[in-house]
Amino acid sequence: MCLLDEDIVQRDGWVERKRHFMGYWQEQPCFALEIEEKHDLDPMEYQLGSLWQILGRVDERLFSLAGRAAQLLDWERDHQFCGRCGDRMQLHPQDRAMRCAPCGTTNYPRINPCIIVLVTRGEEMLLARNVNHPSAMYSTLAGFIEAGETPEETLVREVHEEVGVTVGNLRYVQSQSWPFPNQLMLGFFADYESGDIVCEPTEIADAQWFHPSDLPMIPPPSSVAGQLIKQHINSLS
């Protein structure tokens, strides 16, 4: 994956739908573009794909930039009309926002805070396979923070709802912007306290305790889930 020069857009006659300034990459101004779908891209020069396909395969800073670009383009697409009065919205002239001129409603890019947690029992890790994930990957548990909740309250609730166990000794570790589609992941460790694994069937296909010596397919180390697993394994050495 690489960034394209502005000259290529003009050379190939691409018609822009949207453009957002992303800041600077290697001291050059960088923009996110959405082009018309009618353009036939040369398969010898370009490969169409998704963010999932480049996760763990490109520089983490470049992936972060691509994720932010996708979030901003999706945000503008999803806020074409005002949710209060129904009128068409326009990009704010100064802020990164969509503004409705008739009623004054302003919408900024939306970020959904989530918790993601590695539950441990001694050396073992509780990993689960989501029913909606296309592969056989096992990962850490995660969930959206609901209105009025703290991240810690969400963590305890989500773990109990998804796999039926009780946890304690919560420790915040790190965060990560996660563009699938617009989450801010807050990563934690938690210790197992009690309960047997009982999977919530609409969300969890399977959950098990895994020892570091016998792991299933797990997320790449570029993800916060992969980082939590890696940090736990390193702490045992």
Side-chain angles (χ1 to χ4, degrees), residues 113-204:
C114 304
I115 61 90
I116 185 164
V117 56
L118 178 62
V119 179
T120 59
R121 185 177 65 179
E123 294 186 350
E124 294 179 311
M125 296 172 281
L126 179 55
L127 303 177
R129 182 163 58 86
N130 191 283
V131 295
N132 297 316
H133 204 284
S135 72
M137 180 181 294
Y138 281 75
S139 185
T140 52
L141 299 171
F144 288 99
I145 299 174
E146 295 186 358
E149 280 188 328
T150 66
E152 293 80 7
E153 290 169 339
T154 299
L155 189 159
V156 173
R157 174 183 57 77
E158 283 285 347
V159 171
H160 192 266
E161 288 178 354
E162 292 189 352
V163 294
V165 303
T166 301
V167 297
N169 190 25
L170 316 183
R171 291 97 70 199
Y172 172 76
V173 182
Q174 66 188 79
S175 63
Q176 182 182 37
S177 175
W178 193 241
F180 299 107
N182 49 20
Q183 286 97 278
L184 175 63
M185 309 301 293
L186 306 176
F188 287 81
F189 287 130
D191 294 342
Y192 167 81
E193 287 192 342
S194 63
D196 297 324
I197 295 176
V198 179
C199 296
E200 206 292 308
T202 64
E203 294 192 42
I204 305 298

Side-chain angles (χ1 to χ4, degrees), residues 10-52:
Q10 299 176 2
R11 181 200 70 190
D12 292 346
W14 295 346
V15 177
E16 293 181 26
R17 284 180 172 174
K18 303 180 182 70
R19 171 185 287 249
H20 284 276
F21 177 60
M22 302 298 299
Y24 289 84
W25 178 263
Q26 297 179 349
E27 301 183 354
Q28 296 295 318
C30 182
F31 296 85
L33 298 185
E34 179 181 298
I35 63 172
E36 292 283 356
E37 295 177 353
K38 65 182 180 182
H39 296 298
D40 293 323
L41 302 181
D42 186 347
M44 299 301 293
E45 288 192 73
Y46 309 107
Q47 180 179 349
L48 296 178
S50 67
L51 289 173
W52 280 114

